[in-house]
Amino acid sequence: MEPIILAYIGIGLMIGLAGSGSAIGVSMGGSASIGALKKNQDAFGTYMVLSALPGTQGLYGFMGYFVLTGYTGYLPDDMTFYSAATVFGAGLGLGIVGLISGIRQGQVCANGIAAIGAGYNVFGNTLILGVFPELYAIIAFAATFLVSGAIL
């Protein structure tokens, strides 16, 4: 197997896993919003913000692609196995963190949306608590950025 194939598998996993985490998290928020709208239609703006919050993990996976390819959009054909393994590892790491943090952030936001729908004023608290899982996605992206300096 050519080393570049391993690198592109890592990039594919990064984008796919991080995007899946965002899709699941955003869906959780959207489903909770539909239920909360039945009780309180006036808070749609807050529901929308909290529902969209888990969407950022997919963006980190997408940005990781550009970081790992040196902002060119492609990897060099003659990359070493060491560089390919580095790209694979960084991509897999960011993908797994994006998947888990997107799902967990969606759960936090969905619970906050349900509480707002029930009449509790917890938007700010939900936003703060919802950012906690995001922190780990940011750390994984930062690590990917740092690792990108060691390849190519």
Side-chain angles (χ1 to χ4, degrees):
M1 178 171 75
E2 294 293 322
I4 195 167
I5 295 171
L6 179 65
Y8 276 119
I9 290 171
I11 287 176
L13 287 170
M14 175 181 61
I15 294 170
L17 291 172
S20 296
S22 283
I24 293 169
V26 169
S27 297
M28 288 176 174
S31 296
S33 294
I34 297 300
L37 279 170
K38 295 176 186 173
K39 297 176 184 173
N40 181 4
Q41 295 181 359
D42 296 333
F44 177 73
T46 58
Y47 301 156
M48 186 176 66
V49 169
L50 293 174
S51 295
L53 198 58
T56 54
Q57 279 78 2
L59 295 175
Y60 297 143
F62 187 65
M63 290 186 324
Y65 165 71
F66 289 104
V67 167
L68 289 175
T69 59
Y71 304 100
T72 61
Y74 62 91
L75 295 168
D77 292 336
D78 60 345
M79 78 182 329
T80 64
F81 182 78
Y82 172 78
S83 294
T86 303
V87 170
F88 177 82
L92 182 62
L94 179 57
I96 289 173
V97 172
L99 174 69
I100 294 171
S101 68
I103 292 170
R104 291 301 189 176
Q105 192 173 47
Q107 290 171 333
V108 170
C109 291
N111 286 330
I113 290 167
I116 294 168
Y120 297 98
N121 184 14
V122 294
F123 174 70
N125 294 341
T126 303
L127 198 59
I128 291 168
L129 294 173
V131 170
F132 288 161
E134 177 100 15
L135 173 65
Y136 296 98
I138 292 170
I139 290 171
F141 177 74
T144 301
F145 178 78
L146 293 173
V147 165
S148 71
I151 57 174
L152 308 177

